Structures are given as C-alpha cells and as structure tokens.
Amino acid sequence: ILIVGGAGFVGSNLALEFKKLFPGLDVYAMDNLKRRGSELNIRRFKAAGVNFIHADIRIFSDVLIDDVDLIIDCSAEPSVLAGSDGKADYLVQTNLLGTYHCLELARINKADFIFLSTSRVYPIEPIDNLNYQENDQRYSIANDFGQGFSEKGISEKFTLIGARSLYGATKLASEHLITEYIDSYGINAIINRCSLITGPWQMGKVDQGVVVHWLVQHLFNGDLSYIGYGGKGKQVRDALHIKDLFNLLTIQLEDIKAHNNEVYNVGGGIDNSFSLNELTHICEEITSKKIVIQEIAENRKGDIPYFVSDASKIYKKTGWKPNFSLYDTVSESADWIVKQKDILKGIFY
C-alpha cells in the first residue's frame, strides 16, 4: 500500500492505522515534507515499521515504484486560499499533475486507487445563495429544501456548476481524470469527498485545520478572529475524526469492486456540525481558558457560510457512521498537544 501525502495529517494517520491493523502489510508513506510539522512523523513511522519515501509527486520518476497493490492519494496543497496571490503553479502541479502521476502508477501496476477529494468541489455561489436561518449561535438551511440539500446538509446531487476556488477546481479536475482512468484502463477507484477532517497530529493553521488551530490559540493565549458574515462566528462546518475516516476505508477495501467508480460525501454530518461560536465554547470548556476574539465583518474571498456533508449515500451503502463526537475529538486533540508540547514548539507557539 502506497499513501501519497503520507507524512501529512491524514496520510500519516492512515499509514500508522493500516500498519497497526495489518502488521504483515508493507505500508509506504510518500511525502515531500513541505508542510511544517510533517517531519515529526518520520520518527513515528520508524517506530511502527512504516516505510517512508521522501519524494515529490510532481516528478513522475519520484513516484514510479514497483509492486504496488493499492494507492491512497492524500497529497494536496489543501488551502482554499492557495493561488489567490497569483501563484497557482505549485497548487495545480501538486493537486492535478500529482494525481495524474499516481493514476499512471496505478495503471502500470494494476493497482486499486482511493482518492481523498474535498467538499470544496461544490461551487461557492450556489452555497452562498441557499436560504439560511440565522440563530443565536449558527446558520442553518431553511426548510425550503431542493436538489442536493436538506436538513441533513449537502449531498452528492448538489450542483457542480460555478466557481469553487482554484483548490476545489484542481480536486474536481482530478475526479474527472480518475473517472476516465476507470473507463479507459479498468482500474478500481473510489472518490471520497471529505469534509473537515481533524484529530491529534494535525498541524492546524488559519487557512486549513481550523479545529486544531482554534484549540491551539486557546491553549497558548493566541489570536483569533471571526472573519466575514458580520464577524459573529456563525459559519458552520462538520468535522470527522481521522480514525472514523480510516474505519470507512477499511470497509470500502473489503470489497472495492462494490464501490468502484462511486463518489461519496464523507464527513461528520449534522450531528458533528459546529459554528465557530460553538467551537469557541467547546475550546473554552476543555482548556479552561477564554481569549478575546476579534470581529471582522467583511467576507473573505472563497469563504462560505455553511457546509455540512450529507453522507446518507455512504451510510446506506456500508452501514458506516462516525463514532467520535466533536467534543471527544477536540478533547483528545487537546491531550495530544499538551503531551507533545515540547516537540510542537516552533509549530504552534
């Protein structure tokens, strides 16, 4: 099994969990170590018996290895703000050219392929234009539901017409490429459109990994802002613990042909949804700290007021559902940060 983006938050956790569950499996984690903190996982890999490959998926010769049975593509420049400075080269080459290289590796090796896509493939304006109710703490979708959206959130049937950010565009383009490789070369592949994934060992930043970022700022008395939508922190997302994602992948891999060429929304769903306001209250309770949060009324480009994954399709297909609550996930992440405080110096504080 080859996990590309293997030293990132998602990839490293998946690599370690696969090796733990299947000790006899050869697990390879491939990464270019660009993201600060990813280097900390090399020691974890060595202790667990996971093989690390320092490589860059933008370079095909780096990716070209033999005897691969399964490729999990977690590699991405994950920021929605990526390319907004006029520099989109790294984003496009990593997220799209990198996926092409991984698909070529799958074709050559006749390997199965799992692609971790993103909820950001859904376009911004149609989400913005939904009819929302504004409550004391959060937004919610009003009761006039339509194609692809309901009280459960946004499903795979939601429109894909419209701009979605350069990041979302690279992931959607990769999805189309995967579909063509399934049709042209007969590979087995699954596309999982993941919502916000979080948990211990996530190096959260302001533009990606918001749950851990919010928690860290509370723990170390940092700076936070409610940005956009009046600066009230009512934007809503849903969170999924990394171990819940791993559990889903093990179910899918039990019979990959049953899921071949399927696209699934994968997330914590409405039961694990939260506004920034609500996340603040959870962080205050867990850390016993309260910090001043600035209010910036102006919207930031690429932001949306609401995204909750309606994962009914994968629930019905597999019986899988998330086990970890948002509170438990934040609490576990806080314990990790405190225990690893020394090695996280310079990354978080």
Side-chain angles (χ1 to χ4, degrees), residues 2-21:
L2 173 67
I3 301 176
V4 294
F9 163 61
V10 172
S12 62
N13 276 280
L14 293 181
L16 292 164
E17 290 293 331
F18 272 113
K19 189 63 179 178
K20 181 180 177 181
L21 186 62

Side-chain angles (χ1 to χ4, degrees), residues 268-333:
I270 196 70
D271 291 340
N272 287 293
S273 65
F274 63 94
S275 68
L276 291 178
N277 265 316
E278 292 163 343
L279 181 59
T280 295
H281 296 322
I282 291 172
C283 290
E284 287 175 348
E285 182 177 344
I286 288 172
T287 65
S288 299
K289 292 185 177 183
K290 188 171 185 176
I291 62 176
V292 175
I293 300 180
Q294 302 297 317
E295 296 184 0
I296 301 173
E298 295 77 18
N299 291 358
R300 184 173 56 180
K301 183 176 174 57
D303 277 353
I304 51 176
Y306 182 95
F307 193 92
V308 173
S309 297
D310 179 358
S312 298
K313 180 180 177 181
I314 193 66
Y315 292 167
K316 291 175 184 176
K317 182 95 173 186
T318 65
W320 169 86
K321 282 194 174 181
N323 290 319
F324 289 84
S325 71
L326 176 64
Y327 186 92
D328 290 342
T329 302
V330 177
S331 181
E332 185 183 348
S333 299

Side-chain angles (χ1 to χ4, degrees), residues 81-206:
L81 300 177
S84 59
D85 59 356
K87 300 175 182 177
D89 186 66
Y90 181 81
L91 168 73
V92 174
Q93 289 204 28
T94 299
N95 293 14
L96 184 52
L97 181 63
T99 297
Y100 162 66
H101 288 160
C102 292
L103 285 167
E104 276 293 281
L105 184 66
R107 180 184 65 81
I108 292 166
N109 283 272
K110 296 181 173 58
D112 295 331
F113 194 87
I114 293 181
F115 183 63
L116 297 189
S117 189
T118 172
S119 60
R120 278 293 186 162
V121 300
Y122 298 107
I124 293 167
E125 187 173 352
I127 294 174
D128 250 343
N129 289 339
L130 294 178
N131 187 15
Y132 295 103
Q133 294 175 338
E134 184 176 350
N135 305 318
D136 288 343
Q137 295 291 318
R138 63 154 65 195
Y139 292 117
S140 60
I141 299 179
N143 291 327
D144 53 339
F145 303 131
Q147 179 74 13
F149 61 97
S150 70
E151 73 280 357
K152 296 178 183 177
I154 293 173
S155 78
E156 299 87 351
K157 294 181 180 179
F158 194 77
T159 183
L160 290 173
I161 297 173
R164 56 192 42 79
S165 79
L166 288 167
Y167 162 64
T170 59
K171 299 298 275 187
L172 183 60
S174 291
E175 289 187 12
H176 290 314
L177 197 58
I178 291 163
T179 300
E180 296 303 326
Y181 264 70
I182 293 168
D183 182 69
S184 296
Y185 304 118
I187 69 170
N188 296 312
I190 304 169
I191 295 168
N192 291 318
R193 289 176 178 162
C194 298
S195 190
L196 190 156
I197 306 170
T198 192
W201 292 96
Q202 185 173 43
M203 307 302 167
K205 301 191 300 182
V206 68

Side-chain angles (χ1 to χ4, degrees), residues 1 22 47 55 99 130 157 214-215 226-227 260 265 289 341:
I1 178 171
F22 305 106
T99 297
L130 294 178
K157 294 181 180 179
W214 221 256
L215 177 60
Y226 294 135
I227 301 175
N260 183 39
N265 278 3
K289 292 185 177 183
K341 183 177 178 180

